[in-house]
């Protein structure tokens, strides 16, 4: 994060590393200001230094100054979930308990991807607003929103199990990412991760299909796949994450390994 802490999500909670020691945050049924979910599937930082954590059952905001969490729970237990009247403030109108990803805009709007669509946290009211409530029709190409990314123009890229939508929050317009490109047309559209690099190329990780790179300026593209006969390739086609570091090096994560992009040869080293 901005202070230099490293954060790790796990099936058993959230982990913070300060360079010397690890601190584990876990859900506590008797503490409303603990992590709101048992797992930490995805994380994002907002402009105010808060850490947002997506997990099964909701999303949580960690306040670095107060060192506590504010949970936003999916109301899957109904009235039984409200063990006290004060709990009602933590119940959010999330479209699904299956919260897959979260990201924050420069203006502080928190976007939340779920197994049944996209929503955002409205800052003034602290209420969850579904995308379908502000845009008609809600033309997401897939309901399972697996990843989110905000590009250099402030447009929100919405990765789903059936392609990508691009949302313009200023004009409240949504469109399908559909480049006139044979590479993309032939590929599986189950998107698992996305990255815009420093040159504004779009890197898109596809489920068990490697990486698709698209240059919006030229309309050109390339597909990177694993090959047992090639040492200069991805470690696997089952990509899980993409990241560009401060030296403009692009890293691809997989189950069991990583690959590093080599711009000189336009391939990967694993």
């Amino acid at each position: 994060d901005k202070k230099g802490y490293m954060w790790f999500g796990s099936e058993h909670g959230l982990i913070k590393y300060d360079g010397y020691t690890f601190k584990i945050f876990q859900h506590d049924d008797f503490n409303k200001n603990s992590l709101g979910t048992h797992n930490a599937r995805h994380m994002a930082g907002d402009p105010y230094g808060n850490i947002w954590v997506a997990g099964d059952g909701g999303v949580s905001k960690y306040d670095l100054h107060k060192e506590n969490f504010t949970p936003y729970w999916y109301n899957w237990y109904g009235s039984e979930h409200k063990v006290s009247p004060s709990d009602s403030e933590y119940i959010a109108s999330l479209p699904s308990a299956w919260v897959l990803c979260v990201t924050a805009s420069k203006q502080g709007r928190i976007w939340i991807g779920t197994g049944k669509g996209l929503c955002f946290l409205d800052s003034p009211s602290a209420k969850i607003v579904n995308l379908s409530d502000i845009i008609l029709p809600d033309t997401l190409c897939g309901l399972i929103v697996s990843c989110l990314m905000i590009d250099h123009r402030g447009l929100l890229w919405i990765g789903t199990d059936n392609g990508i939508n691009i949302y313009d929050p200023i004009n409240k317009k949504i469109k399908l990412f559909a480049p006139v490109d044979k590479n993309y047309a032939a590929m599986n559209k189950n998107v698992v991760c996305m990255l815009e690099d420093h040159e504004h190329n779009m890197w898109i990780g596809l489920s068990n299909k490697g990486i698709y790179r698209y240059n919006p300026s030229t309309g050109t593209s390339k597909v990177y796949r694993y090959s047992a006969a090639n040492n200069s390739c991805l470690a696997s086609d089952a990509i899980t994450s993409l990241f560009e570091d401060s030296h403009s090096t692009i890293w691809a994560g997989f189950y069991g390994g990583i690959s590093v992009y080599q711009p000189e040869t336009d391939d990967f080293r694993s």
Side-chain angles (χ1 to χ4, degrees), residues 138-199:
D138 178 4
T139 52
L140 288 180
C141 51
L143 275 182
I144 300 177
V145 179
S146 51
C147 54
L148 297 165
M149 181 197 69
I150 297 175
D151 69 15
H152 70 285
R153 299 171 294 174
L155 301 179
L156 177 68
W157 289 61
I158 307 162
T160 78
D161 60 328
N162 191 39
I164 299 172
N165 290 107
I166 304 172
Y167 176 65
D168 180 345
I170 302 298
N171 299 307
K172 296 183 179 180
K173 299 289 185 181
I174 193 168
K175 67 178 181 179
L176 179 69
F177 174 67
V180 183
D181 174 52
K182 291 187 291 185
N183 283 331
Y184 188 74
M187 296 196 76
N188 169 12
K189 303 298 190 296
N190 190 350
V191 182
V192 295
C193 54
M194 298 180 290
L195 167 73
E196 181 186 33
D197 69 19
H198 67 287
E199 295 180 337

Side-chain angles (χ1 to χ4, degrees), residues 102-125:
V102 61
T103 195
S105 70
K106 290 181 179 180
Q107 293 74 34
R109 174 170 285 184
I110 308 302
W111 291 95
I112 304 165
T114 79
K116 290 186 178 179
L118 178 67
C119 58
F120 66 89
L121 182 68
D122 181 61
S123 296
S125 65

Side-chain angles (χ1 to χ4, degrees), residues 181-255:
D181 174 52
K182 291 187 291 185
N183 283 331
Y184 188 74
M187 296 196 76
N188 169 12
K189 303 298 190 296
N190 190 350
V191 182
V192 295
C193 54
M194 298 180 290
L195 167 73
E196 181 186 33
D197 69 19
H198 67 287
E199 295 180 337
H200 308 314
N201 295 303
M202 308 306 299
W203 299 75
I204 300 168
L206 299 161
S207 179
N208 295 312
K209 296 296 181 181
I211 299 172
Y212 168 82
R213 185 190 67 189
Y214 179 69
N215 185 325
S217 300
T218 63
T220 56
S221 69
K222 183 173 179 178
V223 177
Y224 302 88
R225 300 289 301 269
Y226 166 75
S227 172
N230 183 6
N231 292 327
S232 299
C233 67
L234 296 177
S236 166
D237 280 337
I239 185 169
T240 58
S241 59
L242 287 163
F243 177 73
E244 183 178 35
D245 66 22
S246 58
H247 301 288
S248 301
T249 300
I250 293 173
W251 300 77
F254 308 86
Y255 290 111

